[in-house]
């Protein structure tokens, strides 16, 4: 990373001035990214009211969350390559428009099926726009310092957006309606779609072909694995559908990897994983969200169903975590230049593991200040240290023409990791509650037993990120 960024900063012309237009470009792109990240969690605190209004079953309610993240993550690779080939700004604007219309439709939903369909359409739009957000930052901010600062802000939005989504969702659900959590996307989406063609520069597209077979195999493979874990949570690992979905997912993903090795223009250029720091960054973006999303999902339920927090209070409970992540993002350019990625990643992942493990000790009587504030701060600081440098590591070491593919892989790791991790931990939750019920537990203690088991499993997943962090090369980044 150091050699490439030094070479980049010496060979690429520095901008003559930091124009207001550059700041506006960053504002447009980050607003879009924040909007996409918010919708992964903004519905969490509204789930009880959505279930009541639209008649969702207890098992079907999770698809309000999963349908968006699954489609978003499954199509990101195709969206990233499409941006490289057809124009990143074009895909950015088109994806934002699709996402905005789907948000409007979701807010007008009159049935459970209609809302799920709208969430799927949101995922399609997000997958079209998402990879181009980070690629447009990389190609717009060519000067090394400006690029690192922009990517650090992008990291803060990508990591902190999940927590902010809970806060926004709580505000809107409590003050207006759960539908407002979808309607709020409309004015921002329209503003982005209008301003982007005027102010965001359009890198030239490349002449190549889309890897549609690869997109089909990759998306179906991930969807099959998520279905397997979801079914295991309710029916057990011996159920025919669980076993069939698991086998299909493994076979499809193996076929996907084999195909990507042979096609001329793969969705996932395998050379992206050849450089050690970049491969470790991708692995961290996969493993970290596996643990983080369980925290959002189960802790939201703990606050509302066990501690009886209102939607607004539940959202604000995550404010310390969001504030920690954004504070670290502002310091990241200096920290990365001084220490390099390895010490930051190791320290951050250890703090994150400590925070999740702390949550595994919750009881039905646990209070916010005594039992939740500490873990949330640890995960906020840990997540800020561990994940903020990763965008810089990845995007500073790829050619500009492959920025869309690299960004698509990055966000795919994040989305698929969070979706698959939630499937795994819901399975753990289901097994733990069945075991506790067999021992005579009922009501709130039964629910908390399942949650603490899920948090303990999540701490094991988070511990894997510590091992990955140890593989980063030593050395300071020469980007700032």
């Amino acid at each position: 990373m150091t050699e490439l960024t030094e070479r980049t900063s010496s060979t690429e012309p520095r901008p003559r001035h930091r124009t207001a237009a550059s700041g506006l470009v960053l504002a447009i792109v980050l607003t879009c990214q924040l909007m996409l990240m918010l919708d992964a969690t903004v519905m969490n605190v509204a789930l009880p009211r959505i279930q009541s209004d639209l008649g969702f079953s207890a098992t079907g309610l999770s698809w309000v969350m999963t349908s968006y993240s699954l489609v978003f993550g499954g199509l990101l690779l195709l969206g990233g390559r499409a941006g490289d080939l057809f124009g990143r700004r074009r895909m950015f604007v088109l994806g934002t428009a699709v996402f905005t219309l789907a948000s409007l439709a979701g807010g007008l939903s009159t049935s459970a099926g209609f809302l799920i369909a709208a969430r799927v359409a949101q995922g399609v739009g997000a997958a079209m726009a998402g990879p181009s957000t980070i690629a447009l930052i990389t190609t717009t901010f060519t000067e090394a310092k400006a690029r690192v600062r922009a990517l650090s802000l992008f990291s803060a939005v990508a990591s902190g957006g999940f927590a902010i989504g809970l806060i926004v969702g709580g505000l809107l659900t409590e003050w207006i309606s759960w539908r407002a959590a979808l309607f709020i996307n409309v004015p921002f989406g329209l503003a982005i779609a209008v301003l982007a063609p005027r102010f965001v520069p359009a890198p030239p597209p490349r002449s190549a072909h889309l890897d549609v077979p690869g997109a089909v195999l990759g998306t179906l493979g991930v969807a099959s694995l998520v279905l397997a874990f979801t079914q295991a949570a309710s029916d057990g690992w011996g159920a025919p559908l669980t076993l069939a979905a698991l086998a299909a997912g493994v076979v499809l993903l193996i076929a996907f990897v084999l195909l990507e090795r042979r096609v001329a223009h793969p969705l996932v250029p395998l050379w992206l994983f050849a450089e050690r720091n970049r491969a470790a960054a991708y692995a961290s973006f996969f493993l970290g969200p596996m643990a983080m999303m369980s925290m959002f999902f189960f802790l939201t339920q703990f606050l509302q169903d066990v501690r009886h927090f209102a939607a607004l209070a539940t959202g604000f409970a995550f404010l310390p975590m969001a504030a920690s992540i954004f504070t670290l993002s502002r310091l990241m350019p200096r920290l990365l230049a001084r220490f390099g990625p390895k010490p930051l990643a190791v320290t951050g992942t250890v703090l994150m593991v400590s925070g999740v493990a702390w949550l595994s000790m919750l009881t039905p009587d646990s209070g916010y200040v005594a039992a939740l504030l500490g873990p949330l701060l640890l995960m906020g600081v840990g997540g800020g240290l561990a994940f903020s440098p990763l965008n810089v590591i990845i995007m500073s070491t790829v050619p500009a023409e492959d920025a869309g593919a690299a960004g698509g892989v990055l966000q795919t790791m994040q989305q698929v990791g969070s979706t698959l991790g939630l499937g795994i931990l819901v399975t753990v939750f289901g097994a733990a509650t069945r075991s506790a019920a067999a021992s005579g537990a009922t009501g709130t203690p039964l629910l908390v037993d399942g949650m603490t088991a899920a948090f303990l499993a999540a701490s094991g997943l988070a511990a894997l990120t510590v091992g990955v962090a140890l593989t980063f090369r030593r050395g300071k980044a020469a980007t700032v």
Side-chain angles (χ1 to χ4, degrees):
M1 174 182 173
T2 300
E3 293 179 359
L4 187 142
T5 49
E6 286 176 339
R7 184 168 60 250
T8 299
S9 61
S10 62
T11 57
E12 290 182 345
R14 292 179 178 266
R16 294 181 180 178
H17 50 79
R18 299 190 182 280
T19 63
S22 296
L24 184 56
V25 169
L26 186 60
I28 292 170
V29 172
L30 291 184
T31 299
C32 180
Q33 181 65 18
L34 180 60
M35 189 170 64
L36 303 185
M37 292 298 101
L38 287 178
D39 271 69
T41 57
V42 73
M43 308 294 285
N44 257 2
V45 295
L47 289 177
R49 300 190 187 187
I50 293 173
Q51 183 176 19
S52 175
D53 285 356
L54 300 183
F56 274 94
S57 65
T59 54
L61 189 62
S62 65
W63 284 102
V64 175
M65 312 302 301
T66 305
S67 58
Y68 175 74
S69 57
L70 181 58
V71 175
F72 186 6
L75 295 180
L76 270 167
L77 296 175
L78 187 62
R81 184 52 81 189
D84 288 339
L85 304 183
F86 302 133
R88 292 167 193 158
R89 189 179 68 185
R90 180 179 300 164
M91 292 299 296
F92 178 76
V93 173
L94 182 59
T96 300
V98 171
F99 181 88
T100 302
L101 290 174
S103 298
L104 178 62
L108 297 173
S109 296
T110 55
S111 67
F114 195 98
L115 179 59
I116 294 299
R119 293 286 282 170
V120 168
Q122 278 188 304
V124 173
M128 295 167 68
S132 292
T133 57
I134 191 168
L136 286 169
I137 287 177
T138 303
T139 54
T140 300
F141 296 88
T142 56
E143 192 242 341
K145 275 188 178 180
R147 177 182 289 179
V148 170
R149 288 176 181 142
L151 287 174
S152 295
L153 286 172
F154 181 91
S155 296
V157 168
S159 301
F162 292 126
I164 296 172
L166 295 170
I167 298 170
V168 173
L171 284 168
L172 295 175
T173 301
E174 188 76 16
W175 289 351
I176 307 175
S177 163
W178 65 264
R179 298 178 186 275
L182 292 165
F183 286 144
I184 195 174
N185 293 325
V186 176
F188 288 102
L190 289 175
I192 292 167
V194 170
L195 293 174
R198 182 175 178 183
F199 294 102
V200 176
R206 298 171 60 197
S207 177
H209 300 284
L210 281 178
D211 177 20
V212 176
V216 173
L217 287 174
T219 302
L220 291 180
V222 172
S224 296
L225 287 183
V226 173
L227 177 61
F229 283 105
T230 303
Q231 287 299 123
S234 57
D235 301 335
W237 285 104
L241 180 57
T242 302
L243 295 174
L246 183 63
V250 171
V251 170
L252 287 167
L253 290 178
I254 290 174
F256 171 74
V257 172
L258 293 175
L259 177 67
E260 295 303 280
R261 295 178 61 184
R262 300 179 60 181
V263 297
H265 303 285
L267 285 179
V268 182
L270 297 182
W271 61 261
L272 288 173
F273 302 94
E275 200 275 326
R276 193 167 94 185
N277 274 8
R278 191 164 57 232
Y282 276 130
S284 296
F285 255 118
F286 178 74
L287 294 170
M290 293 182 80
M292 294 284 279
M293 279 304 291
S294 70
M295 186 272 295
F296 292 126
F297 184 77
F298 290 111
L299 196 53
T300 298
Q301 294 182 64
F302 177 85
L303 290 168
Q304 290 189 298
D305 298 338
V306 178
R307 300 302 301 164
H308 305 296
F309 277 38
L312 180 60
T314 300
F316 273 101
F318 292 90
L319 184 59
M321 180 181 179
S324 300
I325 291 174
F326 274 93
T327 299
L328 264 298
S329 74
R330 301 297 296 173
L331 300 175
M332 190 50 58
R334 280 177 285 175
L335 293 174
L336 189 58
R338 182 173 181 181
F339 299 107
K342 187 169 185 174
L344 299 180
V346 171
T347 303
T349 52
V350 168
L351 291 176
M352 190 173 70
V353 172
S354 302
V356 183
W358 191 345
L359 289 174
S360 69
M361 296 185 287
L362 288 176
T363 69
D365 298 322
S366 294
Y368 178 79
V369 174
L372 298 178
L373 180 59
L376 287 170
L377 286 171
L378 283 175
M379 295 191 71
V381 174
L385 288 173
F387 299 124
S388 292
L390 301 184
N391 285 309
V392 180
I393 292 170
I394 292 171
M395 300 308 295
S396 295
T397 57
V398 296
E401 61 268 20
D402 288 313
V409 174
L410 184 156
Q411 294 189 46
T412 297
M413 292 294 182
Q414 184 182 47
Q415 292 296 324
V416 173
S418 63
T419 304
L420 189 58
L422 185 57
I424 293 171
L425 296 168
V426 166
T427 302
V428 173
F429 173 84
T433 52
R434 286 195 296 270
S435 176
S439 302
T442 58
T444 298
L446 177 66
L447 188 64
V448 174
D449 282 347
M451 290 178 180
T452 53
F455 286 132
L456 187 61
S459 67
L461 293 174
L464 296 176
T465 64
V466 180
V468 172
L470 291 170
T471 68
F472 281 110
R473 290 192 180 93
R474 292 188 179 275
K476 299 177 183 179
T479 54
V480 288

